[in-house]
Amino acid sequence: MKIIIAGAGEVGFHLAKLLSYESQDITLIDTRKESLSYADSHLDIRVLKGDAISISVLKEAQVDKSDLVIGVTASETTNLTVCMLAKQLGCKRTIARISNTEFVDNKESIKFDELGIDELISPEELAATEIQLLLTQSAFNDSCEFEGGALIMVGVSLPKSAPFVGKMVKDAAKIFPELHFMPIAIQRSGTQYSLIPRGDTIFREGDQVYFITSKEGVDELYKLSGKEKKEIKNVMILGGSKVGYKTARDLCNNKFNVKLIEKNKEKAFDLAEDLPNALVINGDGRNVELLSEESLEAMDAFVAVTGNSETNIMSCLVAKSKNIKKTIAMVENMDYFQLSHSIGIDTLINKKLLAANNIFRYIRKGEVVALTRLNNLDTEILEFVVKPTSIVNGKIIKELDFPRSATIGGVVRDGEGIIALGDFKITEGDRVVVCCLPRAIPKIEKLFL
């Protein structure tokens, strides 16, 4: 695919890096020479200095031959304008990064596609949604929903007390004969080595295991993973950033008790006006005395979403020392993901990764309706819609020529999540959730074309 990315900031560079690994034809546009120089020397892509809303710059980038234009500059207006111009100039598909979530909320009534904008993505909205999901599934450190929760992906680090540590996958399945979950990926403790589990794969203590489960399977997974289901009601949020505001707003709407700490006095007053159901405190969240005064010990969860990754990590460690059930830190540095479990923080989230996941499904072949990349792993989870022409249509799973480095985690049929085993027959209209390593992706895509 020929892809043009407008904006060489954190999201744009991260996207360009991921896409360049897949040998896509990438052109990165930015006005800043230093950002482009770094990208040019580190990635196998074409860089172009100039304003992305300049028609001559877009023509120089060969926008008329491009399959996808992605606007991810720091300016929402620029991103929207780039997409509108690109579509008029002949680009097939456009995606704009936005921060004003009103656009997303009113997507149907405004009809952005008629303006030339096919998809709107808000990393802040994605992060706030991710945080709320993590607080709902409190014992798990990673989660993702498919089709409104018909199927749920959860990640969990196996403690020594987990009943199936030392057992093979097929033995663990016998513990619950009416299976409502499926292990889809495992990261061995202390490594970045990921594997797609088979029946003879052995679970080990410290494994980070990812499961696909139906709603009924969540409670089973709590028992099997040796984790305790903890009710989260009282949440403290550090940082009144866009993510902090959206998280507080959504949690208040879902009847959580929310305390939000913001250092900037003027911003704190504005937040207090906009969030009448949250208690907004003006103060420095790095101050341990302040956190104690505001009853940190009484909180069920602590979420740090300031603009500083180190502040977020350190404040979460303080919260963890007070025996807080759930800690979530927002970080910008991807390298921190390797440290999260070893230093004791439950979950790290990254806006770049969330935005990239959302955008990646437009690059995959076949009708991909959802995609997520597992934190710190070279593993993708894709949700395909089965078409009449798909090779898998009408086939029984065990009869498919499915690569060993991929597995079907589940199927959504008529809105119902099903854990599909070998005898399951896939039919047109099914939404099939597949977990695979990068080398298996081309073969998987062909099965769903």
Side-chain angles (χ1 to χ4, degrees):
M1 285 179 79
K2 182 170 177 56
I3 301 168
I4 297 171
I5 301 173
E10 289 178 332
V11 176
F13 178 81
H14 182 64
L15 264 175
K17 182 170 76 171
L18 291 176
L19 293 169
S20 69
Y21 291 160
E22 305 206 346
S23 303
Q24 306 283 1
D25 180 1
I26 311 295
T27 302
L28 183 63
I29 304 173
D30 202 286
T31 54
R32 296 164 299 166
K33 187 178 179 181
E34 62 275 13
S35 296
L36 291 175
S37 297
Y38 185 79
D40 193 26
S41 61
H42 286 74
L43 305 176
D44 183 20
I45 62 172
R46 179 190 177 204
V47 298
L48 187 58
K49 185 179 181 297
D51 191 340
I53 56 175
S54 161
I55 293 172
S56 60
V57 169
L58 287 172
K59 283 183 176 178
E60 190 181 343
Q62 298 180 313
V63 69
D64 57 321
K65 297 176 183 174
S66 64
D67 298 293
L68 180 64
V69 168
I70 307 168
V72 285
T73 72
S75 166
E76 182 174 72
T77 308
T78 299
N79 297 338
L80 294 170
T81 307
V82 165
C83 289
M84 287 189 275
L85 289 172
K87 206 58 178 282
Q88 292 289 319
L89 291 168
C91 173
K92 292 176 186 171
R93 194 170 187 89
T94 61
I95 301 173
R97 173 193 178 179
I98 52 135
S99 53
N100 183 353
T101 51
E102 276 189 331
F103 290 148
V104 177
D105 298 337
N106 295 283
K107 197 159 51 171
E108 300 303 319
S109 55
I110 301 295
K111 293 185 171 57
F112 283 95
D113 55 336
E114 292 181 8
L115 298 172
I117 304 158
D118 294 308
E119 190 68 31
L120 298 171
I121 286 178
S122 166
E124 293 79 15
E125 184 74 32
L126 292 169
T129 303
E130 178 83 354
I131 290 168
Q132 188 168 341
L133 186 57
L134 287 163
L135 293 177
T136 306
Q137 309 293 349
S138 60
F140 305 121
N141 53 35
D142 202 349
S143 58
C144 177
E145 286 189 348
F146 298 93
E147 299 307 310
L151 287 175
I152 304 163
M153 186 223 51
V154 294
V156 62
S157 181
L158 295 184
K160 194 174 183 179
S161 58
F164 53 72
V165 164
K167 292 185 173 66
M168 288 190 284
V169 170
K170 60 186 177 185
D171 295 331
K174 291 173 187 172
I175 298 173
F176 283 91
E178 291 185 11
L179 203 64
H180 292 115
F181 62 88
M182 174 79 73
I184 55 167
I186 296 176
Q187 180 185 20
R188 293 299 188 196
S189 178
T191 73
Q192 285 183 275
Y193 171 60
S194 53
L195 60 92
I196 303 297
R198 296 289 164 187
D200 56 357
T201 303
I202 296 173
F203 291 109
R204 297 177 187 165
E205 179 188 350
D207 278 354
Q208 173 72 12
V209 186
Y210 294 88
F211 294 93
I212 291 285
T213 179
S214 58
K215 288 176 181 174
E216 298 83 7
V218 173
D219 287 336
E220 291 176 7
L221 273 176
Y222 276 115
K223 293 176 194 171
L224 268 177
S225 62
K227 298 283 183 178
E228 184 184 339
K229 188 169 185 177
K230 303 161 186 169
E231 187 184 6
I232 303 288
K233 199 66 187 169
N234 303 309
V235 181
M236 183 177 283
I237 300 172
L238 177 61
S241 60
K242 287 175 182 173
V243 176
Y245 167 74
K246 290 176 175 63
T247 301
R249 180 198 64 189
D250 294 347
L251 291 177
C252 286
N253 290 341
N254 285 290
K255 310 301 180 192
F256 284 80
N257 301 321
V258 178
K259 282 187 181 182
L260 190 152
I261 300 175
E262 169 52 45
K263 192 177 178 182
N264 183 291
K265 190 174 183 180
E266 189 178 338
K267 196 172 184 181
F269 275 104
D270 289 342
L271 287 165
E273 280 185 30
D274 292 339
L275 299 167
N277 295 322
L279 175 60
V280 180
I281 298 147
N282 175 221
D284 189 342
R286 295 171 296 183
N287 186 330
V288 178
E289 283 185 21
L290 173 71
L291 294 177
S292 295
E293 283 172 15
E294 296 303 332
S295 306
L296 174 62
E297 293 89 344
M299 295 294 125
D300 300 313
F302 184 86
V303 181
V305 287
T306 72
N308 186 293
S309 301
E310 288 74 21
T311 297
N312 295 341
I313 288 172
M314 292 308 295
S315 55
C316 276
L317 290 175
V318 170
K320 208 66 185 172
S321 72
K322 305 290 184 184
N323 296 318
I324 303 299
K325 297 173 189 172
K326 186 85 174 177
T327 54
I328 301 171
M330 186 171 75
V331 297
E332 294 303 317
N333 190 333
M334 302 290 287
D335 296 333
Y336 286 145
F337 275 109
Q338 299 173 34
L339 302 172
S340 61
H341 305 309
S342 59
I343 60 177
I345 296 173
D346 293 315
T347 308
L348 298 182
I349 60 168
N350 180 283
K351 291 189 294 181
K352 292 179 287 186
L353 194 63
L354 292 169
N357 284 348
N358 221 279
I359 291 168
F360 245 75
R361 71 178 191 268
Y362 300 103
I363 287 104
R364 294 280 168 250
K365 294 170 187 168
E367 193 176 338
V368 179
V369 288
L371 182 151
T372 187
R373 279 186 164 225
L374 300 179
N375 287 348
N376 199 33
L377 283 181
D378 59 343
T379 309
E380 287 188 17
I381 301 174
L382 302 111
E383 182 187 354
F384 290 97
V385 176
V386 178
K387 296 189 256 185
T389 54
S390 300
I391 292 172
V392 298
N393 184 23
K395 297 282 196 322
I396 293 170
I397 289 175
K398 65 184 178 186
E399 294 173 356
L400 288 169
D401 181 20
F402 221 71
R404 283 191 65 81
S405 50
T407 187
I408 292 177
V411 174
V412 179
R413 180 177 289 171
D414 300 327
E416 182 189 353
I418 303 162
I419 301 303
L421 301 179
D423 294 325
F424 185 86
K425 187 177 182 180
I426 296 171
T427 59
E428 180 188 343
D430 283 349
R431 291 170 178 251
V432 182
V433 178
V434 178
C435 181
C436 57
L437 299 179
R439 62 178 178 270
I441 289 171
K443 192 167 185 180
I444 296 296
E445 288 174 335
K446 287 175 186 171
L447 292 172
F448 289 92
L449 283 175

